[in-house]
Amino acid sequence: MALKLSTNARITWCPGCPNGAILVAFRQAVEELVEQGKVRLENIVALSGIGCHGKITDYLNLNSFTSLHGRVIPTMTGVKCANPDLLVIGFSGDGDSFSEGLDHLLHAARRNSDIKLFLHNNQIFALTTGQVTALSPKGMKGKSTPLGSIEEPFDACSLVKQAGATFVARAYAGDIVKTKEVMLAAMTHKGFALVEIIQPCITFFDTRDYWQEQIKAGKVPLGIIHQETKPTFEEFL
Ligand code: SF4
């Protein structure tokens, strides 16, 4: 029997926003995991931070929690420590986890906490209508940088891998099937997993053409970038 993972909440993302594709990919991944008996639905917890991505918990008929800005990671680690049997999945944005809560992210990766983070990377603070984040490209013009950003961005995957993450992957939201596959791999990995999902903000920073060209030319590594096996923080605990 098909699971009912949708809710009655009205979707308020801009029409056509790739956040919708991430939502579809995630629901499909959960369905597969549950149908294959790899996890019980009641043992999945979805959390989010603050930003456009954060609405996703309203649209998932799962145990869920919407946390504070930049604080999705400590909330996830608290849930996992309290009940290590849970599959703890967090959604976050680049503003939420790389500008606001970066310290939490790096320490969770360093500890190999057994939690999974799906990063909606639109390279902008979108909910506040367009300011630079730590992942915005140099030169990006936005509300806070009308003449163009003068800062170099982090490479999300490299940074988190260097911090100690045992699973790092990248997906493009425009490809729902591959995004779902990478999500599934992250959800069945034991240890800290980051999936950077390139998710253009079609309203304030529309990079769809840029990313499609980059991907077509093979200039952006997609799929699993790094995976290794190590004891987790919760096992030591
Ligand atoms: Fe999506 Fe951008 Fe609209 Fe937010 S502002 S819902 S990220 S298109």
Side-chain angles (χ1 to χ4, degrees), residues 53-188:
H53 78 276
K55 299 175 183 178
I56 199 165
T57 40
D58 285 347
Y59 311 142
L60 289 167
N61 185 23
L62 288 171
N63 295 314
S64 65
F65 187 83
T66 305
S67 70
L68 299 175
H69 200 196
R71 308 295 173 243
V72 68
I73 296 271
T75 315
M76 291 164 73
T77 51
V79 171
K80 186 69 184 178
C81 287
N83 185 349
D85 291 337
L86 299 178
L87 173 56
V88 180
I89 297 155
F91 298 89
S92 189
D94 46 306
D96 188 58
S97 270
F98 281 81
S99 290
E100 198 72 27
L102 182 61
D103 48 350
H104 301 302
L105 172 60
L106 297 182
H107 289 299
R110 176 177 65 85
R111 295 175 184 134
N112 197 30
S113 185
D114 190 13
I115 57 177
K116 327 296 164 198
L117 187 73
F118 296 155
L119 170 70
H120 300 219
N121 184 10
N122 54 21
Q123 303 176 289
I124 198 168
F125 280 105
L127 191 65
T128 49
T129 73
Q131 295 80 21
V132 291
T133 71
L135 301 189
S136 300
K138 192 173 183 180
M140 196 208 88
K141 291 184 179 170
K143 298 265 168 63
S144 57
T145 53
L147 300 180
S149 168
I150 58 171
E151 300 178 13
E152 293 288 347
F154 287 129
D155 177 321
C157 288
S158 299
L159 183 65
V160 175
K161 176 178 176 289
Q162 263 199 337
T166 50
F167 182 103
V168 174
R170 188 182 288 116
Y172 179 59
D175 189 333
I176 292 177
V177 174
K178 287 196 182 138
T179 300
K180 178 203 75 179
E181 283 168 4
V182 172
M183 284 176 162
L184 273 172
M187 288 194 276
T188 50

Side-chain angles (χ1 to χ4, degrees), residues 153-235:
F154 287 129
D155 177 321
C157 288
S158 299
L159 183 65
V160 175
K161 176 178 176 289
Q162 263 199 337
T166 50
F167 182 103
V168 174
R170 188 182 288 116
Y172 179 59
D175 189 333
I176 292 177
V177 174
K178 287 196 182 138
T179 300
K180 178 203 75 179
E181 283 168 4
V182 172
M183 284 176 162
L184 273 172
M187 288 194 276
T188 50
H189 172 77
K190 192 161 76 95
F192 187 91
L194 169 80
V195 180
E196 176 193 6
I197 307 167
I198 299 167
Q199 176 254 302
C201 169
I202 60 175
T203 301
F204 296 110
F205 190 40
D206 192 352
T207 53
R208 282 174 292 180
D209 290 347
Y210 169 81
W211 284 115
Q212 276 160 17
E213 274 166 31
Q214 294 288 305
I215 290 165
K216 204 168 157 190
K219 290 185 178 167
V220 187
L222 296 176
I224 299 172
I225 292 168
H226 171 74
Q227 186 167 20
E228 63 181 308
T229 306
K230 271 189 188 170
T232 67
F233 177 71
E234 291 76 19
E235 285 173 331

